Amino acid sequence: MSTPTYDTLTVSAADLLAEVAEDLEISRDAVETALATVNIGVHTPVVSDRRLRLVRLVVVGEKKSGQAFTVDRRFDSGVWAIVHPENSAGKTSLLEFLVLPMRGASRDLPKDVRSWVRHLLLDSVVAGRPVRISIDASSGWERRVHATIRTADSEDELLNSPDEQLRLLAEAVGLGEVEQMIGQFMLDTLRMQRTQLWSSSGGADGDGAPSVHGWAAYFGACYLNHGGDQLLLGDVNAPGLPGKLMELFVDLPYSSTLAEVAVAEKREARTAKQQKRRAEGDAAARASERAVW
């Protein structure tokens, strides 16, 4: 992902709020108050470093046959490709070994292949910060998988130091907890927010409901789908999400705020629709009672 740049023409939050207030012929304070009632804050965009660069992958494990294996690969600058003339040679597995620590969970790694892995280590540079994500599955993947996120002062220190000599930032035990920890770390470090999108058929009554998407959905912009896949970007099937992933690359100012406003507007419309339906139902019930009497 490239580092976005804004020119001096980027509208500040103050100017944006003032323009909205002028269009609506109300005060700026009234605009801010209305947004605050639905928990929306408007802030001037700050340039974010959203580069993510892989440095080293280490995988240690043992196949079901008892054959031990080790992968230790450095990634220097340039374009890398995983190529083998045969099918079922492990190309996708190698890719998924990279995906698992970056995303917090694999996308297409078979459980039997995952069970081979005892230890997985990924050194990377996230938003300019040297980061190591280590996953220990020596006690099993389902319950006792343990992961840590550590950092160093430099890339050289990261590459040449064991885990215990690096600064611990976070740790978690269990598949769900590990995925949540990595996802939150990536969002915080890359200065990204969870995004809300409206699902018109969501909710218990089918009148629509917001859906919240975090790092797992954003990661789809880093890992493109197969050519025959029905989704343009990502692996989460949600209306409007591919567009949000495209905005991730250009860091479109106020895109998250716009999404929040759109969700709030549709939520208010749903509430009004439900209130009208209840009022009509109550009126019909009262009319029926009067007819009986």
Side-chain angles (χ1 to χ4, degrees), residues 16-69:
L16 179 61
L17 291 169
E19 184 175 342
V20 172
E22 182 179 354
D23 289 344
L24 297 177
E25 298 182 347
I26 59 177
S27 69
R28 174 181 155 180
D29 288 342
V31 174
E32 290 186 280
T33 300
L35 291 172
T37 59
V38 288
N39 298 315
I40 296 177
V42 182
H43 308 285
T44 302
V46 177
V47 176
S48 300
D49 184 350
R50 289 180 177 163
R51 292 172 295 177
L52 198 163
R53 179 167 58 87
L54 306 182
V55 177
R56 182 190 184 197
L57 172 70
V58 177
V59 185
V60 178
E62 183 178 309
K63 295 183 179 181
K64 192 174 182 179
S65 63
Q67 178 186 358
F69 70 91

Side-chain angles (χ1 to χ4, degrees), residues 195-200 202-203 208-213 263-264 266-267 270:
T195 188
Q196 293 189 49
L197 296 173
W198 187 261
S199 174
S200 58
S211 57
V212 181
H213 302 279
V263 167
K266 291 175 181 177
R267 184 188 288 114
R270 180 197 62 184

Side-chain angles (χ1 to χ4, degrees), residues 116-221:
W116 300 347
V117 178
R118 300 292 181 267
H119 184 73
L120 193 155
L121 177 152
L122 179 68
D123 287 339
S124 61
V125 179
V126 184
R129 186 180 195 180
V131 171
R132 172 175 295 170
I133 299 175
S134 295
I135 299 178
D136 180 5
S138 56
S139 299
W141 279 93
E142 296 304 326
R143 293 186 178 181
R144 299 303 302 170
V145 60
H146 174 260
T148 59
I149 301 177
R150 301 174 186 268
T151 188
D153 291 330
S154 67
E155 189 174 319
D156 286 340
E157 181 185 356
L158 184 73
L159 287 169
N160 296 305
S161 301
D163 285 1
E164 56 270 17
Q165 292 182 9
L166 301 176
R167 294 192 301 279
L168 180 66
L169 298 177
E171 64 179 325
V173 177
L175 283 174
E177 289 76 9
V178 168
E179 181 177 3
Q180 183 179 12
M181 175 190 70
I182 292 175
Q184 190 60 54
F185 172 79
M186 289 296 187
L187 289 176
D188 291 344
T189 305
L190 297 172
R191 300 187 64 170
M192 296 167 60
Q193 298 177 344
R194 289 176 173 81
T195 188
Q196 293 189 49
L197 296 173
W198 187 261
S199 174
S200 58
S201 60
D205 53 10
D207 283 342
S211 57
V212 181
H213 302 279
W215 174 244
Y218 280 128
F219 186 78

